[in-house]
Amino acid sequence: MNPRGGRVPQSKKDTPLRKDAPLRSDAQRNRERILQVATVELTRCADAPLSAIAKKAGVGQGTFYRNFPHREALVLEVYRYEMQQVADAATALLDTRAPEAALREWMDRLARFAMTKAGLADAIRLVTSAPGGPARPGPTPVLDAAGMLLRANEEAGTIRSGVTPDDFFLAIAGLWQIDPREDWQPRATRLLDFVMDGLRARASGR
């Protein structure tokens, strides 16, 4: 993906001058700031005005629409951005925790994402349910992250063998039945503890 959303230069005339190179990092920072603000605002209100998001991000309308020409583009990119943050956390946890602790902590982060981003889920539904609207992006990064954590634990002998990412997400599907407006944390923790106990059953290292 081209983070600036610009066109590929077609000739020397179109090629940016060397002195303009620093603008690339500025453009990337603008894009990141828009995504961060949009995540907060769309979580609070699924139909938050784009003009308000641009203002809070500190960018002009031109900069905003160069990055995200319409609401659908922004909402889908926010969804991808948030899913990637959850996925990236798996690598960071494996770098600093034992596999079993990394998996359990990542499950808590996934629950937090599911509960605190309920408004974002509403925004996704608004843009993907419209006639002719774009398809909802798949959860590939998160599935890959779950697979990495499961493999690390299987190799360490801390969970049963043969558990796939699909198995894992079927097991934790109850998360999405919890009302995020209630005191969701005790219920989520209890559910995830049950799932973790099931994963540990018949583990080779136990």
Side-chain angles (χ1 to χ4, degrees):
M1 180 185 297
N2 180 352
R4 300 182 66 192
R7 60 191 179 90
V8 177
Q10 299 298 314
S11 68
K12 291 183 178 179
K13 182 178 179 181
D14 291 327
T15 303
L17 297 176
R18 179 182 295 271
K19 66 180 181 180
D20 292 334
L23 294 177
R24 295 176 182 172
S25 59
D26 290 344
Q28 183 61 33
R29 283 195 294 271
N30 285 338
R31 184 179 180 86
E32 289 287 326
R33 194 158 56 247
I34 292 168
L35 287 172
Q36 290 165 3
V37 171
T39 299
V40 173
E41 295 304 311
L42 290 172
T43 298
R44 290 175 178 167
C45 177
D47 57 355
L50 300 186
S51 57
I53 293 172
K55 183 176 181 180
K56 289 188 177 183
V59 301
Q61 295 292 310
T63 296
F64 183 92
Y65 285 106
R66 275 197 301 275
N67 282 278
F68 304 105
H70 42 71
R71 175 175 290 274
E72 290 85 353
L74 175 64
V75 170
L76 294 180
E77 189 58 26
V78 166
Y79 179 78
R80 294 187 189 98
Y81 176 78
E82 282 294 290
M83 294 288 277
Q84 192 61 54
Q85 301 307 302
V86 174
D88 290 345
T91 301
L93 288 167
L94 278 175
D95 286 342
T96 56
R97 311 279 195 279
E100 187 174 5
L103 174 59
R104 185 62 186 83
E105 187 169 338
W106 188 75
M107 290 163 70
D108 285 334
R109 293 194 184 197
L110 188 61
R112 196 177 310 120
F113 170 76
M115 295 298 103
T116 62
K117 304 302 180 185
L120 180 57
D122 289 340
I124 293 289
R125 280 192 289 272
L126 283 176
V127 301
T128 58
S129 63
R136 180 174 182 150
T140 300
V142 175
L143 284 171
D144 290 345
M148 178 177 63
L149 287 161
L150 293 170
R151 286 194 302 272
N153 277 272
E154 185 172 340
E155 290 168 3
T158 50
I159 66 169
R160 63 197 301 163
S161 62
V163 180
T164 68
D166 284 341
D167 295 333
F168 174 79
F169 278 98
L170 282 173
I172 67 168
L175 280 176
W176 284 270
Q177 304 303 314
I178 299 174
D179 189 340
R181 296 166 297 183
E182 298 177 352
D183 186 13
W184 59 267
Q185 287 183 306
R187 297 188 66 191
T189 298
R190 183 175 173 81
L191 170 65
L192 295 178
D193 284 344
F194 284 151
V195 172
M196 198 70 196
D197 287 344
L199 291 172
R200 293 186 185 111
R202 299 201 300 273
S204 62
R206 294 185 182 276

